[in-house]
mmCIF file of all heavy atoms in Angstrom:
data_model
loop_
_atom_site.group_PDB
_atom_site.id
_atom_site.type_symbol
_atom_site.label_atom_id
_atom_site.label_comp_id
_atom_site.label_asym_id
_atom_site.label_seq_id
_atom_site.Cartn_x
_atom_site.Cartn_y
_atom_site.Cartn_z
ATOM 1 N N ALA A 329 14.203 -10.727 -17.986
ATOM 2 C CA ALA A 329 15.349 -11.614 -17.690
ATOM 3 C C ALA A 329 15.140 -12.319 -16.351
ATOM 4 O O ALA A 329 15.417 -13.524 -16.223
ATOM 5 C CB ALA A 329 16.647 -10.818 -17.708
ATOM 6 N N TRP A 330 14.668 -11.558 -15.346
ATOM 7 C CA TRP A 330 14.437 -12.175 -14.033
ATOM 8 C C TRP A 330 13.347 -13.230 -14.093
ATOM 9 O O TRP A 330 13.449 -14.305 -13.519
ATOM 10 C CB TRP A 330 14.091 -11.092 -13.025
ATOM 11 C CG TRP A 330 13.977 -11.598 -11.612
ATOM 12 C CD1 TRP A 330 14.972 -11.695 -10.685
ATOM 13 C CD2 TRP A 330 12.782 -12.095 -10.976
ATOM 14 N NE1 TRP A 330 14.482 -12.217 -9.506
ATOM 15 C CE2 TRP A 330 13.147 -12.484 -9.670
ATOM 16 C CE3 TRP A 330 11.465 -12.270 -11.393
ATOM 17 C CZ2 TRP A 330 12.220 -13.015 -8.758
ATOM 18 C CZ3 TRP A 330 10.542 -12.814 -10.497
ATOM 19 C CH2 TRP A 330 10.916 -13.181 -9.190
ATOM 20 N N LEU A 331 12.286 -12.931 -14.824
ATOM 21 C CA LEU A 331 11.172 -13.863 -14.909
ATOM 22 C C LEU A 331 11.571 -15.145 -15.652
ATOM 23 O O LEU A 331 11.161 -16.242 -15.280
ATOM 24 C CB LEU A 331 9.977 -13.190 -15.618
ATOM 25 C CG LEU A 331 9.255 -12.128 -14.781
ATOM 26 C CD1 LEU A 331 8.317 -11.300 -15.654
ATOM 27 C CD2 LEU A 331 8.477 -12.781 -13.639
ATOM 28 N N VAL A 332 12.337 -15.002 -16.715
ATOM 29 C CA VAL A 332 12.800 -16.189 -17.428
ATOM 30 C C VAL A 332 13.574 -17.121 -16.499
ATOM 31 O O VAL A 332 13.434 -18.333 -16.547
ATOM 32 C CB VAL A 332 13.653 -15.776 -18.652
ATOM 33 C CG1 VAL A 332 14.384 -16.980 -19.216
ATOM 34 C CG2 VAL A 332 12.789 -15.117 -19.704
ATOM 35 N N GLU A 333 14.352 -16.513 -15.617
ATOM 36 C CA GLU A 333 15.199 -17.317 -14.731
ATOM 37 C C GLU A 333 14.432 -17.849 -13.509
ATOM 38 O O GLU A 333 14.700 -18.960 -13.038
ATOM 39 C CB GLU A 333 16.386 -16.483 -14.251
ATOM 40 C CG GLU A 333 17.375 -17.256 -13.386
ATOM 41 C CD GLU A 333 18.598 -16.465 -13.028
ATOM 42 O OE1 GLU A 333 18.772 -15.343 -13.568
ATOM 43 O OE2 GLU A 333 19.394 -16.951 -12.183
ATOM 44 N N HIS A 334 13.473 -17.073 -13.006
ATOM 45 C CA HIS A 334 12.885 -17.402 -11.703
ATOM 46 C C HIS A 334 11.397 -17.783 -11.756
ATOM 47 O O HIS A 334 10.860 -18.268 -10.760
ATOM 48 C CB HIS A 334 13.036 -16.220 -10.750
ATOM 49 C CG HIS A 334 14.443 -15.876 -10.446
ATOM 50 N ND1 HIS A 334 15.191 -16.526 -9.489
ATOM 51 C CD2 HIS A 334 15.259 -14.931 -10.964
ATOM 52 C CE1 HIS A 334 16.410 -16.023 -9.413
ATOM 53 N NE2 HIS A 334 16.488 -15.041 -10.312
ATOM 54 N N ALA A 335 10.745 -17.577 -12.883
ATOM 55 C CA ALA A 335 9.285 -17.800 -12.926
ATOM 56 C C ALA A 335 8.910 -19.224 -12.615
ATOM 57 O O ALA A 335 7.901 -19.486 -11.958
ATOM 58 C CB ALA A 335 8.716 -17.394 -14.277
ATOM 59 N N GLY A 336 9.696 -20.179 -13.093
ATOM 60 C CA GLY A 336 9.367 -21.560 -12.860
ATOM 61 C C GLY A 336 9.370 -21.946 -11.404
ATOM 62 O O GLY A 336 8.408 -22.509 -10.872
ATOM 63 N N ALA A 337 10.439 -21.590 -10.692
ATOM 64 C CA ALA A 337 10.579 -21.960 -9.288
ATOM 65 C C ALA A 337 9.704 -21.121 -8.360
ATOM 66 O O ALA A 337 9.118 -21.646 -7.423
ATOM 67 C CB ALA A 337 12.047 -21.843 -8.871
ATOM 68 N N GLU A 338 9.618 -19.823 -8.615
ATOM 69 C CA GLU A 338 8.912 -18.933 -7.677
ATOM 70 C C GLU A 338 7.432 -18.770 -7.999
ATOM 71 O O GLU A 338 6.633 -18.549 -7.101
ATOM 72 C CB GLU A 338 9.604 -17.569 -7.648
ATOM 73 C CG GLU A 338 11.013 -17.602 -7.097
ATOM 74 C CD GLU A 338 11.454 -16.274 -6.512
ATOM 75 O OE1 GLU A 338 10.567 -15.472 -6.156
ATOM 76 O OE2 GLU A 338 12.666 -16.048 -6.449
ATOM 77 N N LEU A 339 7.069 -18.851 -9.272
ATOM 78 C CA LEU A 339 5.685 -18.556 -9.653
ATOM 79 C C LEU A 339 4.973 -19.748 -10.272
ATOM 80 O O LEU A 339 3.795 -19.618 -10.622
ATOM 81 C CB LEU A 339 5.657 -17.384 -10.659
ATOM 82 C CG LEU A 339 6.334 -16.081 -10.188
ATOM 83 C CD1 LEU A 339 6.267 -15.035 -11.294
ATOM 84 C CD2 LEU A 339 5.709 -15.551 -8.906
ATOM 85 N N GLU A 340 5.679 -20.859 -10.414
ATOM 86 C CA GLU A 340 5.102 -22.049 -11.053
ATOM 87 C C GLU A 340 4.573 -21.697 -12.442
ATOM 88 O O GLU A 340 3.499 -22.164 -12.864
ATOM 89 C CB GLU A 340 4.029 -22.679 -10.179
ATOM 90 C CG GLU A 340 4.559 -23.210 -8.846
ATOM 91 C CD GLU A 340 3.498 -23.836 -7.975
ATOM 92 O OE1 GLU A 340 2.362 -24.014 -8.461
ATOM 93 O OE2 GLU A 340 3.802 -24.168 -6.813
ATOM 94 N N ALA A 341 5.334 -20.872 -13.165
ATOM 95 C CA ALA A 341 4.941 -20.426 -14.506
ATOM 96 C C ALA A 341 5.952 -20.974 -15.510
ATOM 97 O O ALA A 341 7.115 -21.212 -15.193
ATOM 98 C CB ALA A 341 4.884 -18.914 -14.582
ATOM 99 N N ASP A 342 5.482 -21.158 -16.731
ATOM 100 C CA ASP A 342 6.325 -21.687 -17.803
ATOM 101 C C ASP A 342 6.981 -20.543 -18.554
ATOM 102 O O ASP A 342 6.350 -19.825 -19.319
ATOM 103 C CB ASP A 342 5.440 -22.532 -18.752
ATOM 104 C CG ASP A 342 6.270 -23.283 -19.773
ATOM 105 O OD1 ASP A 342 7.487 -23.038 -19.874
ATOM 106 O OD2 ASP A 342 5.684 -24.125 -20.484
#
Side-chain angles (χ1 to χ4, degrees):
W330 186 89
L331 288 167
V332 168
E333 183 175 352
H334 297 278
E338 294 205 23
L339 304 178
E340 297 180 8
D342 188 351

